[in-house]
Amino acid sequence: MKVCFVGLGNLPVLAPEYNHHGIGGEQVQQTLLAKALATRGYQVSMVVGDYGQSDAASWHCVTTYKAYRADAGLPVLRFVYPRWTATWAALMRADADVYYTSCAGMLVGLVAMFCRRHGRGLVHRLASDVDADPEKLLIQYTRDKKLYEYGLRRADSVLCQHAGQQRALLENYGLTSVVADMLVDPPDRQLDHDQRDLEILWVSNLYDLKRPELVIELARRMPSRHIHMVGGPQPGFSDLYSKIESAAKSLPNLTFCGRVPYHDVGDLYDRAKIFVNTSDTEGFPNSFLQSWRRGVPVVSFFDPDGLIEREGLGASPQSIDEMACVAGHLIADETAWRKASERCRSYMDRMHGDHVVLKPYLAAIEEAVHRRKK
């Protein structure tokens, strides 16, 4: 079976030579899933952005077809040319049985129209809680919101990250979906408590909704603890990046690393004792899985379906002061840290092995093909 993943930002995750470009969590998830399917005998391709690579270039048995450069075309007109035309041309070259999209945006609608016209299957996966709420969509233009809804409603199978998204999707769109957990890269090493030289780690793209300014506040409340902060500048948020970078320079216990390539950031997770998350809105962060796989407890304001508290995978404080208190306790109390660390590893072994995680994805792909053959 031929499966094509449509993710214009996927190439920096798939191909190490392009990893100086920024990425997000869903690019990681699409790439991990694509590689997993390829190892199981699927014929896998991707439609990606034009980073200057050759068309039909292959990495990890995944063939890539390039669509367009991010800055290509004239304002207004570029929606049609090159964005629509180049995307459809790449989809055609991929010639897949099933196409897979994720993240809310106009691309979902364009792919859905292609699949409808050419009789191909479509699987879509939500990437954030806001993807299930039309009032909170992080989409600028009404046209693109309409295209997203068009694509969402015409997907043969819809996947989501947790039960809360499942309920919201049913309530807001009247659509049923299946919860599909996330894949995670295995760590290169497992360090003991005393071998970890990073006390607190924060990793995210620097958007307003990630609330990076709270990391600054956390550092001020924990002067005896050191925080490493990783996050690259994002389009439209350059002022926020400059503000965080400047504030970090005034705090001796905060190291601001800026953007760290995806293929290098795993080393920081290996060395961390505690991971903190300051967002109040997420889907299911890749950073949680990367942390837990390495036995790193997560202290986060956002707790998907109450998982952190229920499984003892860290803590979910209600304020920045409580976050400082909880994080400080876990670092100082080695016994408490070791117990939490073991729970994190045990949870990942139990719930996020590929043999468990892949089941709903494989079922969704099969369902999409079955529905198109009717």
Side-chain angles (χ1 to χ4, degrees):
M1 188 183 299
K2 298 165 69 176
V3 181
C4 178
F5 292 82
V6 186
L8 300 183
N10 289 354
L11 192 65
V13 183
L14 181 67
E17 58 265 44
Y18 294 98
N19 73 1
H20 56 282
H21 295 277
I23 64 156
E26 204 54 29
Q27 288 80 36
V28 173
Q29 283 303 303
Q30 281 208 18
T31 303
L32 291 176
L33 181 56
K35 290 162 65 176
L37 293 185
T39 63
R40 283 159 177 78
Y42 286 78
Q43 192 170 331
V44 181
S45 61
M46 275 186 185
V47 170
V48 299
D50 183 352
Y51 291 83
Q53 79 278 16
S54 299
D55 194 50
S58 181
W59 289 267
H60 304 286
C61 298
V62 177
T63 303
T64 60
Y65 298 97
K66 60 183 181 181
Y68 55 85
R69 297 193 321 274
D71 60 351
L74 299 172
V76 182
L77 297 178
R78 64 188 174 197
F79 170 74
V80 176
Y81 178 83
R83 295 184 177 180
W84 189 333
T85 56
T87 298
W88 269 36
L91 296 173
M92 184 64 75
R93 295 197 301 280
D95 189 28
D97 302 303
V98 176
Y99 291 83
Y100 180 103
T101 61
S102 54
C103 298
M106 63 94 173
L107 191 62
V108 184
L110 297 185
V111 177
M113 284 189 281
F114 175 89
C115 291
R116 189 176 181 87
R117 182 184 180 104
H118 296 282
R120 312 300 171 92
L122 174 62
V123 175
H124 178 73
R125 181 175 182 273
L126 274 64
S128 174
D129 290 359
V130 297
D131 290 3
D133 189 340
E135 300 300 320
K136 297 180 180 179
L137 289 173
L138 301 177
I139 302 176
Q140 184 176 4
Y141 301 113
T142 300
R143 172 203 66 199
D144 294 348
K145 291 180 179 179
K146 294 294 185 182
L147 277 169
Y148 168 63
E149 182 172 349
Y150 172 90
L152 183 63
R153 292 189 179 282
R154 282 157 182 80
D156 298 294
S157 297
V158 179
L159 303 172
C160 58
Q161 295 175 308
H162 56 78
Q165 289 180 5
Q166 192 176 42
R167 291 190 296 269
L169 194 63
L170 183 61
E171 180 180 342
N172 294 322
Y173 290 99
L175 295 175
T176 59
S177 57
V178 174
V179 174
D181 285 326
M182 298 161 68
L183 290 91
V184 59
D185 267 331
D188 293 327
R189 54 184 176 168
Q190 289 281 10
L191 299 181
D192 195 20
H193 179 275
D194 296 337
Q195 297 173 300
R196 300 177 184 236
D197 59 345
L198 303 186
E199 291 185 317
I200 300 173
L201 178 65
W202 185 95
V203 179
S204 187
N205 288 319
L206 264 67
Y207 294 110
D208 282 345
L209 60 86
K210 301 296 185 179
R211 303 198 295 183
E213 68 280 358
L214 291 182
V215 184
I216 304 297
E217 292 302 318
L218 184 64
R220 289 173 177 153
R221 284 164 169 76
M222 304 183 73
S224 64
R225 298 298 179 186
H226 202 99
I227 301 174
H228 279 70
M229 186 177 188
V230 176
Q234 301 301 310
F237 293 91
S238 57
D239 288 346
L240 176 63
Y241 183 89
S242 298
K243 177 184 175 182
I244 297 300
E245 185 179 35
S246 176
K249 291 177 181 177
S250 67
L251 295 167
N253 65 323
L254 177 59
T255 298
F256 181 65
C257 305
R259 174 176 290 148
V260 174
Y262 169 74
H263 296 88
D264 298 331
V265 77
D267 177 67
L268 300 179
Y269 284 101
D270 291 342
R271 296 160 53 197
K273 292 181 179 176
I274 301 294
F275 183 87
V276 296
N277 179 284
T278 52
S279 301
D280 60 356
T281 298
E282 288 277 5
F284 197 115
N286 283 275
S287 55
F288 287 14
L289 301 182
Q290 290 173 290
S291 297
W292 293 332
R293 176 65 77 190
R294 294 163 169 84
V296 180
V298 170
V299 179
S300 171
F301 294 127
F302 175 81
D303 185 0
D305 285 342
L307 176 64
I308 296 175
E309 292 289 352
R310 184 173 67 253
E311 298 286 343
L313 307 177
S316 182
Q318 300 302 307
S319 68
I320 194 69
D321 288 323
E322 187 181 352
M323 175 175 278
C325 181
V326 171
H329 169 72
L330 277 172
I331 294 170
D333 189 333
E334 186 173 336
T335 299
W337 183 90
R338 287 185 184 280
K339 289 180 179 178
S341 179
E342 180 55 37
R343 288 193 296 269
C344 293
R345 290 194 182 99
S346 176
Y347 171 78
M348 292 299 293
D349 289 342
R350 187 173 74 252
M351 301 300 296
H352 283 271
D354 281 3
H355 65 290
V356 176
V357 175
L358 284 176
K359 286 182 180 179
Y361 294 99
L362 300 179
I365 291 168
E366 295 290 345
E367 173 67 15
V369 171
H370 177 71
R371 291 185 63 179
R372 291 298 172 175
K373 287 182 178 179
K374 286 183 177 180

